[in-house]
Amino acid sequence: AAGGGGGDALALTDLMLECATHPERLVSETSMDYFLHLNTVPLVQRHPNHQASLYARLEEVLLVRTAYPADFTTWDVRGGDEDGDSFRRFREQVALDVLDTCYTQLRAAYMARAAQALEVAQTWQAAEAALFALRAVHLSYKARALSRRASDLSDPSVAADVAEGDRVLEHVVRRITEGGEGSVFRAHPVVMEAAAQLLGVYAQWLGARRVANVNLVLSFLLHGLQAPGVWSHASAAFRNVCARCSDQLQDPSTLAPLIDAAERCLPPLPSPS
């Protein structure tokens, strides 16, 4: 019934979208089940309003609902009804699945919408939410973009979609790694952590496409090793990128500066007793 074309079904969908924007987290979270259930209905049985256009609207809603609070510094010092555990649970256990569903419906258009949100972000919270939306779909994106199946390789529509998605990702990676100290990606440890996570989960894609300056990627991650609360994800991402992009690190002129930078991140040796 949810996927049908009746007026009641369309009205219910509009209501669920409104619930998704509700400031009460439980209301928003409950509405997500509706969209996951709707995605089980075959496309041919759905009203046109229950296809791509719906998931584009849903992606826009989640780009807002998954953002950190505007007054956020740390969860320890923030009051209010929401705590860090409930916020992370909503993002990682609920929103992540719904965003992945949006990607399966929208493909490159999903990537472009998240990247556009990143471009126009006025706060680090908005930028971080866009990075989260891109990270949320990394498994589905890599499965499609790096597929070696003959059916995918021979399909012009898949090739065009992947090429557009790759272009978007390349632009995002360049924005992250080429920004200086005043970059939004260094404005708060949380957004720096999100950028490090994004680079880490797309390391396989970075190695396959060779579209980014791996030195700049690793330099950003080394900077993250020195930021409070970022080092864990930054170090994991650094390891992943080194492993997946190892063929780009074989030139001594490339590797030596990175070794020097890594050594500067290490704590000083203890004084001999």
Side-chain angles (χ1 to χ4, degrees), residues 13-157:
T13 298
D14 287 338
L15 176 62
M16 289 298 102
L17 276 171
E18 185 175 346
C19 289
T21 66
H22 197 281
E24 180 64 40
R25 182 70 68 188
L26 183 59
V27 176
S28 179
E29 184 175 325
T30 302
S31 72
M32 295 296 117
D33 288 336
Y34 173 82
F35 298 106
L36 292 173
H37 172 71
L38 179 61
N39 199 49
T40 65
V41 179
L43 276 176
V44 294
Q45 297 178 21
R46 296 190 214 174
H47 188 278
N49 288 359
H50 283 163
Q51 298 183 27
S53 61
L54 169 62
Y55 289 92
R57 294 167 65 192
L58 187 56
E59 181 185 1
E60 291 176 353
V61 167
L62 286 172
L63 283 166
V64 175
R65 294 298 291 131
T66 58
Y68 276 76
D71 62 349
F72 180 85
T73 52
T74 70
W75 291 114
D76 292 337
V77 301
R78 186 177 187 275
D81 298 331
E82 187 165 54
D83 58 34
D85 288 340
S86 62
F87 179 77
R88 285 186 289 269
R89 180 176 56 80
F90 171 74
R91 296 219 315 178
E92 300 291 341
Q93 298 181 20
V94 179
L96 190 145
D97 286 343
V98 179
L99 286 169
D100 195 61
T101 297
C102 292
Y103 170 73
T104 63
Q105 295 295 321
L106 301 170
R107 300 301 188 186
Y110 172 98
M111 308 295 283
R113 186 170 287 102
Q116 178 61 22
L118 186 62
E119 285 293 315
V120 302
Q122 298 295 309
T123 64
W124 69 259
Q125 290 93 333
E128 193 278 341
L131 293 175
F132 172 75
L134 291 167
R135 174 172 67 85
V137 303
H138 77 95
L139 291 175
S140 295
Y141 185 82
K142 289 182 296 187
R144 183 174 174 84
L146 305 179
S147 173
R148 306 307 302 167
R149 291 181 300 186
S151 58
D152 289 338
L153 295 172
S154 61
D155 188 332
S157 65

